[in-house]
Amino acid sequence: MDGGEEDFGPPPLHEFWWLHDARWYQGVLRRFGQDAANEINAEAIRFVFRRIARWYRHQHGLDFTAMSLDEFVKWFEEIPKVSWNSEMMTAEHAVTGDNEWESVITKNYSLRMLAAARALDGYECPCPQMREGWFEGMGVTVRDSRVSCVRTGGEVCRFHAVMDPRP
């Protein structure tokens, strides 16, 4: 480009929307308190991520109940990318048993931004509700447990998931 203009590339839309979300959370926190902010955030996260997974399932014509676990995990790995690009979230998923897999999140934009805004104190990480939303939208029943969380001092966020037997 001429005239000293720089090309900054396409706008980081994902980051702008997550920045909106962080500011919204802080506004609810200031006006209505920590419990209300966490409760409303968890409800919204579950709703949005259920819709994302349902959209993804229909967009790709998938029946998650008819897949092998390896195939399920491969497709599941793609769903978070609708909400976050690779600069915002890094997650790996690995099958660990017949109906079990583990998810490890090593980069989380939301936690990084909340820490930068000094809004982590009292924040309840909504990852369990996010994952519940995905599984509901995918039409599967999963027993999911959080093994560690960066928010509470873990080095990574780690989840252990067990798929209920499919018909």
Side-chain angles (χ1 to χ4, degrees), residues 80-150:
K81 294 174 185 175
V82 173
S83 302
W84 295 288
N85 62 35
S86 61
E87 295 300 313
M88 297 174 75
M89 185 177 110
T90 303
E92 294 181 7
H93 310 276
V95 174
T96 58
D98 288 341
N99 293 318
E100 302 178 20
W101 77 96
E102 184 175 86
S103 299
V104 178
I105 302 163
T106 55
K107 184 190 294 183
N108 185 318
Y109 178 82
S110 300
L111 293 178
R112 190 173 79 229
M113 290 297 102
L114 284 163
R118 295 183 181 96
L120 271 178
D121 287 342
Y123 176 76
E124 283 184 27
C125 185
C127 284
Q129 291 83 8
M130 175 181 63
R131 291 170 61 90
E132 286 174 15
W134 282 330
F135 299 140
E136 287 175 14
M138 295 168 82
V140 296
T141 303
V142 175
R143 288 174 280 129
D144 199 33
S145 59
R146 182 172 33 198
V147 177
S148 67
C149 179
V150 170

Side-chain angles (χ1 to χ4, degrees), residues 62-77:
L62 300 169
D63 179 357
F64 288 104
T65 64
M67 297 178 178
S68 70
L69 189 61
D70 286 327
E71 187 178 8
F72 172 87
V73 169
K74 179 188 77 122
W75 282 103
F76 173 67
E77 187 170 69

Side-chain angles (χ1 to χ4, degrees), residues 43-60:
E43 286 176 17
I45 288 273
R46 188 172 182 178
F47 173 83
V48 169
F49 286 86
R50 181 176 53 240
R51 293 296 280 273
I52 288 169
R54 188 177 301 142
W55 171 85
Y56 192 87
R57 184 181 76 198
H58 292 295
Q59 189 75 14
H60 295 279

